[in-house]
PDB file of all heavy atoms in Angstrom:
ATOM      1  N   LEU A 250     -52.275  48.692 -47.832  1.00 97.00           N
ATOM      2  CA  LEU A 250     -51.777  47.322 -47.902  1.00 97.00           C
ATOM      3  C   LEU A 250     -52.185  46.618 -46.622  1.00 97.00           C
ATOM      4  O   LEU A 250     -52.005  47.166 -45.527  1.00 97.00           O
ATOM      5  CB  LEU A 250     -50.262  47.301 -48.052  1.00 97.00           C
ATOM      6  CG  LEU A 250     -49.600  45.916 -48.079  1.00 97.00           C
ATOM      7  CD1 LEU A 250     -49.955  45.174 -49.357  1.00 97.00           C
ATOM      8  CD2 LEU A 250     -48.084  46.039 -47.944  1.00 97.00           C
ATOM      9  N   ARG A 251     -52.745  45.427 -46.722  1.00 97.00           N
ATOM     10  CA  ARG A 251     -53.165  44.701 -45.522  1.00 97.00           C
ATOM     11  C   ARG A 251     -53.022  43.202 -45.727  1.00 97.00           C
ATOM     12  O   ARG A 251     -53.019  42.701 -46.849  1.00 97.00           O
ATOM     13  CB  ARG A 251     -54.615  45.047 -45.156  1.00 97.00           C
ATOM     14  CG  ARG A 251     -55.618  44.766 -46.251  1.00 97.00           C
ATOM     15  CD  ARG A 251     -57.028  45.158 -45.836  1.00 97.00           C
ATOM     16  NE  ARG A 251     -57.951  45.102 -46.957  1.00 97.00           N
ATOM     17  CZ  ARG A 251     -58.566  43.998 -47.377  1.00 97.00           C
ATOM     18  NH1 ARG A 251     -58.367  42.834 -46.744  1.00 97.00           N
ATOM     19  NH2 ARG A 251     -59.395  44.033 -48.414  1.00 97.00           N
ATOM     20  N   ALA A 252     -52.922  42.488 -44.616  1.00 97.00           N
ATOM     21  CA  ALA A 252     -52.860  41.030 -44.632  1.00 97.00           C
ATOM     22  C   ALA A 252     -53.340  40.521 -43.284  1.00 97.00           C
ATOM     23  O   ALA A 252     -53.306  41.241 -42.276  1.00 97.00           O
ATOM     24  CB  ALA A 252     -51.441  40.538 -44.912  1.00 97.00           C
ATOM     25  N   ALA A 253     -53.811  39.281 -43.256  1.00 97.00           N
ATOM     26  CA  ALA A 253     -54.375  38.730 -42.033  1.00 97.00           C
ATOM     27  C   ALA A 253     -53.996  37.261 -41.874  1.00 97.00           C
ATOM     28  O   ALA A 253     -53.696  36.564 -42.843  1.00 97.00           O
ATOM     29  CB  ALA A 253     -55.908  38.869 -42.038  1.00 97.00           C
ATOM     30  N   VAL A 254     -54.030  36.816 -40.640  1.00 96.00           N
ATOM     31  CA  VAL A 254     -53.882  35.398 -40.296  1.00 96.00           C
ATOM     32  C   VAL A 254     -55.253  34.889 -39.893  1.00 96.00           C
ATOM     33  O   VAL A 254     -55.972  35.546 -39.131  1.00 96.00           O
ATOM     34  CB  VAL A 254     -52.873  35.216 -39.152  1.00 96.00           C
ATOM     35  CG1 VAL A 254     -52.818  33.757 -38.716  1.00 96.00           C
ATOM     36  CG2 VAL A 254     -51.489  35.678 -39.579  1.00 96.00           C
ATOM     37  N   GLU A 255     -55.636  33.722 -40.389  1.00 95.00           N
ATOM     38  CA  GLU A 255     -56.955  33.148 -40.109  1.00 95.00           C
ATOM     39  C   GLU A 255     -56.832  31.827 -39.349  1.00 95.00           C
ATOM     40  O   GLU A 255     -55.901  31.053 -39.583  1.00 95.00           O
ATOM     41  CB  GLU A 255     -57.719  32.892 -41.407  1.00 95.00           C
ATOM     42  CG  GLU A 255     -58.097  34.137 -42.167  1.00 95.00           C
ATOM     43  CD  GLU A 255     -58.937  33.823 -43.400  1.00 95.00           C
ATOM     44  OE1 GLU A 255     -59.164  32.625 -43.672  1.00 95.00           O
ATOM     45  OE2 GLU A 255     -59.358  34.772 -44.085  1.00 95.00           O
ATOM     46  N   TYR A 256     -57.810  31.597 -38.480  1.00 95.00           N
ATOM     47  CA  TYR A 256     -57.948  30.298 -37.823  1.00 95.00           C
ATOM     48  C   TYR A 256     -59.263  29.682 -38.259  1.00 95.00           C
ATOM     49  O   TYR A 256     -60.322  30.294 -38.133  1.00 95.00           O
ATOM     50  CB  TYR A 256     -57.921  30.433 -36.300  1.00 95.00           C
ATOM     51  CG  TYR A 256     -58.211  29.127 -35.592  1.00 95.00           C
ATOM     52  CD1 TYR A 256     -57.221  28.162 -35.437  1.00 95.00           C
ATOM     53  CD2 TYR A 256     -59.491  28.841 -35.111  1.00 95.00           C
ATOM     54  CE1 TYR A 256     -57.486  26.956 -34.816  1.00 95.00           C
ATOM     55  CE2 TYR A 256     -59.763  27.635 -34.490  1.00 95.00           C
ATOM     56  CZ  TYR A 256     -58.756  26.694 -34.338  1.00 95.00           C
ATOM     57  OH  TYR A 256     -59.028  25.494 -33.726  1.00 95.00           O
ATOM     58  N   ASP A 257     -59.198  28.470 -38.789  1.00 91.00           N
ATOM     59  CA  ASP A 257     -60.380  27.743 -39.256  1.00 91.00           C
ATOM     60  C   ASP A 257     -60.707  26.650 -38.248  1.00 91.00           C
ATOM     61  O   ASP A 257     -59.936  25.698 -38.074  1.00 91.00           O
ATOM     62  CB  ASP A 257     -60.094  27.137 -40.635  1.00 91.00           C
ATOM     63  CG  ASP A 257     -61.338  26.541 -41.279  1.00 91.00           C
ATOM     64  OD1 ASP A 257     -62.228  26.068 -40.534  1.00 91.00           O
ATOM     65  OD2 ASP A 257     -61.425  26.549 -42.517  1.00 91.00           O
ATOM     66  N   GLY A 258     -61.864  26.791 -37.581  1.00 88.00           N
ATOM     67  CA  GLY A 258     -62.246  25.820 -36.571  1.00 88.00           C
ATOM     68  C   GLY A 258     -62.513  24.442 -37.131  1.00 88.00           C
ATOM     69  O   GLY A 258     -62.326  23.436 -36.437  1.00 88.00           O
ATOM     70  N   ALA A 259     -62.950  24.346 -38.388  1.00 83.00           N
ATOM     71  CA  ALA A 259     -63.212  23.038 -38.996  1.00 83.00           C
ATOM     72  C   ALA A 259     -61.916  22.269 -39.221  1.00 83.00           C
ATOM     73  O   ALA A 259     -61.842  21.067 -38.986  1.00 83.00           O
ATOM     74  CB  ALA A 259     -63.963  23.213 -40.311  1.00 83.00           C
ATOM     75  N   GLU A 260     -60.887  22.967 -39.669  1.00 84.00           N
ATOM     76  CA  GLU A 260     -59.602  22.325 -39.917  1.00 84.00           C
ATOM     77  C   GLU A 260     -58.668  22.390 -38.715  1.00 84.00           C
ATOM     78  O   GLU A 260     -57.618  21.734 -38.698  1.00 84.00           O
ATOM     79  CB  GLU A 260     -58.916  22.990 -41.114  1.00 84.00           C
ATOM     80  CG  GLU A 260     -59.696  22.857 -42.402  1.00 84.00           C
ATOM     81  CD  GLU A 260     -58.970  23.501 -43.574  1.00 84.00           C
ATOM     82  OE1 GLU A 260     -57.845  24.005 -43.370  1.00 84.00           O
ATOM     83  OE2 GLU A 260     -59.522  23.474 -44.680  1.00 84.00           O
ATOM     84  N   ARG A 261     -59.039  23.201 -37.712  1.00 86.00           N
ATOM     85  CA  ARG A 261     -58.226  23.400 -36.521  1.00 86.00           C
ATOM     86  C   ARG A 261     -56.805  23.800 -36.883  1.00 86.00           C
ATOM     87  O   ARG A 261     -55.817  23.238 -36.395  1.00 86.00           O
ATOM     88  CB  ARG A 261     -58.223  22.132 -35.646  1.00 86.00           C
ATOM     89  CG  ARG A 261     -59.608  21.766 -35.109  1.00 86.00           C
ATOM     90  CD  ARG A 261     -59.557  20.583 -34.184  1.00 86.00           C
ATOM     91  NE  ARG A 261     -60.884  20.276 -33.659  1.00 86.00           N
ATOM     92  CZ  ARG A 261     -61.143  19.275 -32.809  1.00 86.00           C
ATOM     93  NH1 ARG A 261     -60.157  18.499 -32.395  1.00 86.00           N
ATOM     94  NH2 ARG A 261     -62.375  19.062 -32.397  1.00 86.00           N
ATOM     95  N   SER A 262     -56.717  24.775 -37.752  1.00 88.00           N
ATOM     96  CA  SER A 262     -55.413  25.227 -38.208  1.00 88.00           C
ATOM     97  C   SER A 262     -55.451  26.724 -38.472  1.00 88.00           C
ATOM     98  O   SER A 262     -56.515  27.295 -38.739  1.00 88.00           O
ATOM     99  CB  SER A 262     -54.993  24.489 -39.483  1.00 88.00           C
ATOM    100  OG  SER A 262     -55.895  24.778 -40.536  1.00 88.00           O
ATOM    101  N   ALA A 263     -54.273  27.343 -38.395  1.00 88.00           N
ATOM    102  CA  ALA A 263     -54.137  28.770 -38.690  1.00 88.00           C
ATOM    103  C   ALA A 263     -53.154  28.945 -39.834  1.00 88.00           C
ATOM    104  O   ALA A 263     -52.177  28.196 -39.954  1.00 88.00           O
ATOM    105  CB  ALA A 263     -53.658  29.526 -37.454  1.00 88.00           C
ATOM    106  N   ALA A 264     -53.396  29.928 -40.675  1.00 88.00           N
ATOM    107  CA  ALA A 264     -52.517  30.191 -41.813  1.00 88.00           C
ATOM    108  C   ALA A 264     -52.791  31.606 -42.309  1.00 88.00           C
ATOM    109  O   ALA A 264     -53.723  32.274 -41.847  1.00 88.00           O
ATOM    110  CB  ALA A 264     -52.754  29.178 -42.929  1.00 88.00           C
ATOM    111  N   LEU A 265     -51.977  32.046 -43.247  1.00 86.00           N
ATOM    112  CA  LEU A 265     -52.209  33.351 -43.845  1.00 86.00           C
ATOM    113  C   LEU A 265     -53.578  33.366 -44.508  1.00 86.00           C
ATOM    114  O   LEU A 265     -53.932  32.449 -45.245  1.00 86.00           O
ATOM    115  CB  LEU A 265     -51.134  33.666 -44.882  1.00 86.00           C
ATOM    116  CG  LEU A 265     -51.249  35.049 -45.511  1.00 86.00           C
ATOM    117  CD1 LEU A 265     -50.777  36.124 -44.545  1.00 86.00           C
ATOM    118  CD2 LEU A 265     -50.461  35.117 -46.804  1.00 86.00           C
ATOM    119  N   GLY A 266     -54.358  34.407 -44.234  1.00 87.00           N
ATOM    120  CA  GLY A 266     -55.698  34.526 -44.808  1.00 87.00           C
ATOM    121  C   GLY A 266     -55.721  35.540 -45.929  1.00 87.00           C
ATOM    122  O   GLY A 266     -54.897  35.508 -46.835  1.00 87.00           O
ATOM    123  N   GLU A 267     -56.633  36.496 -45.832  1.00 93.00           N
ATOM    124  CA  GLU A 267     -56.786  37.465 -46.915  1.00 93.00           C
ATOM    125  C   GLU A 267     -55.628  38.453 -46.938  1.00 93.00           C
ATOM    126  O   GLU A 267     -54.989  38.729 -45.921  1.00 93.00           O
ATOM    127  CB  GLU A 267     -58.113  38.212 -46.762  1.00 93.00           C
ATOM    128  CG  GLU A 267     -58.171  39.124 -45.547  1.00 93.00           C
ATOM    129  CD  GLU A 267     -59.481  39.874 -45.443  1.00 93.00           C
ATOM    130  OE1 GLU A 267     -60.439  39.490 -46.125  1.00 93.00           O
ATOM    131  OE2 GLU A 267     -59.534  40.852 -44.672  1.00 93.00           O
ATOM    132  N   TYR A 268     -55.366  38.984 -48.123  1.00 96.00           N
ATOM    133  CA  TYR A 268     -54.341  40.003 -48.307  1.00 96.00           C
ATOM    134  C   TYR A 268     -54.808  40.892 -49.447  1.00 96.00           C
ATOM    135  O   TYR A 268     -55.547  40.457 -50.345  1.00 96.00           O
ATOM    136  CB  TYR A 268     -52.983  39.373 -48.634  1.00 96.00           C
ATOM    137  CG  TYR A 268     -53.052  38.329 -49.721  1.00 96.00           C
ATOM    138  CD1 TYR A 268     -52.864  38.663 -51.061  1.00 96.00           C
ATOM    139  CD2 TYR A 268     -53.330  36.999 -49.410  1.00 96.00           C
ATOM    140  CE1 TYR A 268     -52.953  37.710 -52.059  1.00 96.00           C
ATOM    141  CE2 TYR A 268     -53.418  36.036 -50.400  1.00 96.00           C
ATOM    142  CZ  TYR A 268     -53.224  36.397 -51.726  1.00 96.00           C
ATOM    143  OH  TYR A 268     -53.327  35.446 -52.709  1.00 96.00           O
ATOM    144  N   ALA A 269     -54.397  42.151 -49.433  1.00 97.00           N
ATOM    145  CA  ALA A 269     -54.905  43.071 -50.457  1.00 97.00           C
ATOM    146  C   ALA A 269     -53.985  44.270 -50.616  1.00 97.00           C
ATOM    147  O   ALA A 269     -53.310  44.700 -49.670  1.00 97.00           O
ATOM    148  CB  ALA A 269     -56.304  43.549 -50.090  1.00 97.00           C
ATOM    149  N   LEU A 270     -53.981  44.803 -51.820  1.00 97.00           N
ATOM    150  CA  LEU A 270     -53.349  46.077 -52.146  1.00 97.00           C
ATOM    151  C   LEU A 270     -54.434  46.937 -52.780  1.00 97.00           C
ATOM    152  O   LEU A 270     -55.052  46.531 -53.768  1.00 97.00           O
ATOM    153  CB  LEU A 270     -52.184  45.879 -53.107  1.00 97.00           C
ATOM    154  CG  LEU A 270     -51.438  47.152 -53.535  1.00 97.00           C
ATOM    155  CD1 LEU A 270     -50.766  47.813 -52.334  1.00 97.00           C
ATOM    156  CD2 LEU A 270     -50.404  46.828 -54.608  1.00 97.00           C
ATOM    157  N   GLU A 271     -54.682  48.144 -52.210  1.00 98.00           N
ATOM    158  CA  GLU A 271     -55.823  48.952 -52.602  1.00 98.00           C
ATOM    159  C   GLU A 271     -55.401  50.373 -52.982  1.00 98.00           C
ATOM    160  O   GLU A 271     -54.450  50.923 -52.421  1.00 98.00           O
ATOM    161  CB  GLU A 271     -56.829  49.028 -51.448  1.00 98.00           C
ATOM    162  CG  GLU A 271     -57.271  47.661 -50.934  1.00 98.00           C
ATOM    163  CD  GLU A 271     -58.126  47.773 -49.676  1.00 98.00           C
ATOM    164  OE1 GLU A 271     -58.389  48.919 -49.232  1.00 98.00           O
ATOM    165  OE2 GLU A 271     -58.524  46.730 -49.140  1.00 98.00           O
ATOM    166  N   TYR A 272     -56.156  50.953 -53.912  1.00 98.00           N
ATOM    167  CA  TYR A 272     -55.938  52.331 -54.345  1.00 98.00           C
ATOM    168  C   TYR A 272     -57.260  53.082 -54.274  1.00 98.00           C
ATOM    169  O   TYR A 272     -58.295  52.590 -54.741  1.00 98.00           O
ATOM    170  CB  TYR A 272     -55.399  52.362 -55.775  1.00 98.00           C
ATOM    171  CG  TYR A 272     -55.350  53.744 -56.388  1.00 98.00           C
ATOM    172  CD1 TYR A 272     -54.345  54.636 -56.038  1.00 98.00           C
ATOM    173  CD2 TYR A 272     -56.314  54.159 -57.312  1.00 98.00           C
ATOM    174  CE1 TYR A 272     -54.294  55.915 -56.598  1.00 98.00           C
ATOM    175  CE2 TYR A 272     -56.258  55.432 -57.880  1.00 98.00           C
ATOM    176  CZ  TYR A 272     -55.256  56.301 -57.519  1.00 98.00           C
ATOM    177  OH  TYR A 272     -55.207  57.558 -58.063  1.00 98.00           O
ATOM    178  N   LEU A 273     -57.238  54.284 -53.704  1.00 98.00           N
ATOM    179  CA  LEU A 273     -58.433  55.114 -53.560  1.00 98.00           C
ATOM    180  C   LEU A 273     -58.112  56.525 -54.018  1.00 98.00           C
ATOM    181  O   LEU A 273     -57.073  57.091 -53.667  1.00 98.00           O
ATOM    182  CB  LEU A 273     -58.893  55.132 -52.095  1.00 98.00           C
ATOM    183  CG  LEU A 273     -60.176  55.905 -51.777  1.00 98.00           C
ATOM    184  CD1 LEU A 273     -61.390  55.204 -52.376  1.00 98.00           C
ATOM    185  CD2 LEU A 273     -60.336  56.066 -50.268  1.00 98.00           C
ATOM    186  N   LYS A 274     -59.021  57.110 -54.809  1.00 98.00           N
ATOM    187  CA  LYS A 274     -58.806  58.465 -55.307  1.00 98.00           C
ATOM    188  C   LYS A 274     -60.119  59.239 -55.308  1.00 98.00           C
ATOM    189  O   LYS A 274     -61.130  58.765 -55.838  1.00 98.00           O
ATOM    190  CB  LYS A 274     -58.246  58.420 -56.737  1.00 98.00           C
ATOM    191  CG  LYS A 274     -58.071  59.786 -57.382  1.00 98.00           C
ATOM    192  CD  LYS A 274     -57.036  60.630 -56.662  1.00 98.00           C
ATOM    193  CE  LYS A 274     -56.800  61.958 -57.384  1.00 98.00           C
ATOM    194  NZ  LYS A 274     -55.833  62.822 -56.646  1.00 98.00           N
ATOM    195  N   ARG A 275     -60.094  60.432 -54.713  1.00 97.00           N
ATOM    196  CA  ARG A 275     -61.265  61.308 -54.740  1.00 97.00           C
ATOM    197  C   ARG A 275     -61.194  62.177 -55.989  1.00 97.00           C
ATOM    198  O   ARG A 275     -60.278  62.982 -56.159  1.00 97.00           O
ATOM    199  CB  ARG A 275     -61.333  62.174 -53.484  1.00 97.00           C
ATOM    200  CG  ARG A 275     -62.562  63.086 -53.451  1.00 97.00           C
ATOM    201  CD  ARG A 275     -62.712  63.772 -52.115  1.00 97.00           C
ATOM    202  NE  ARG A 275     -62.959  62.824 -51.039  1.00 97.00           N
ATOM    203  CZ  ARG A 275     -64.146  62.279 -50.770  1.00 97.00           C
ATOM    204  NH1 ARG A 275     -65.201  62.599 -51.529  1.00 97.00           N
ATOM    205  NH2 ARG A 275     -64.284  61.428 -49.783  1.00 97.00           N
ATOM    206  N   ILE A 276     -62.175  62.014 -56.863  1.00 97.00           N
ATOM    207  CA  ILE A 276     -62.235  62.786 -58.102  1.00 97.00           C
ATOM    208  C   ILE A 276     -62.894  64.136 -57.875  1.00 97.00           C
ATOM    209  O   ILE A 276     -62.506  65.142 -58.478  1.00 97.00           O
ATOM    210  CB  ILE A 276     -62.995  61.994 -59.189  1.00 97.00           C
ATOM    211  CG1 ILE A 276     -62.353  60.615 -59.394  1.00 97.00           C
ATOM    212  CG2 ILE A 276     -63.024  62.769 -60.496  1.00 97.00           C
ATOM    213  CD1 ILE A 276     -60.914  60.666 -59.831  1.00 97.00           C
ATOM    214  N   SER A 277     -63.914  64.144 -57.029  1.00 96.00           N
ATOM    215  CA  SER A 277     -64.632  65.370 -56.682  1.00 96.00           C
ATOM    216  C   SER A 277     -65.236  65.167 -55.299  1.00 96.00           C
ATOM    217  O   SER A 277     -65.147  64.065 -54.737  1.00 96.00           O
ATOM    218  CB  SER A 277     -65.733  65.647 -57.722  1.00 96.00           C
ATOM    219  OG  SER A 277     -66.816  64.751 -57.555  1.00 96.00           O
TER     220      SER A 277
END
């Protein structure tokens, strides 16, 4: 589980950026 805060220089603002929930499984 991850999440990030981003700063956009064009808008000169910071806000919540990308977020994700991931699953990984080794089959072999």
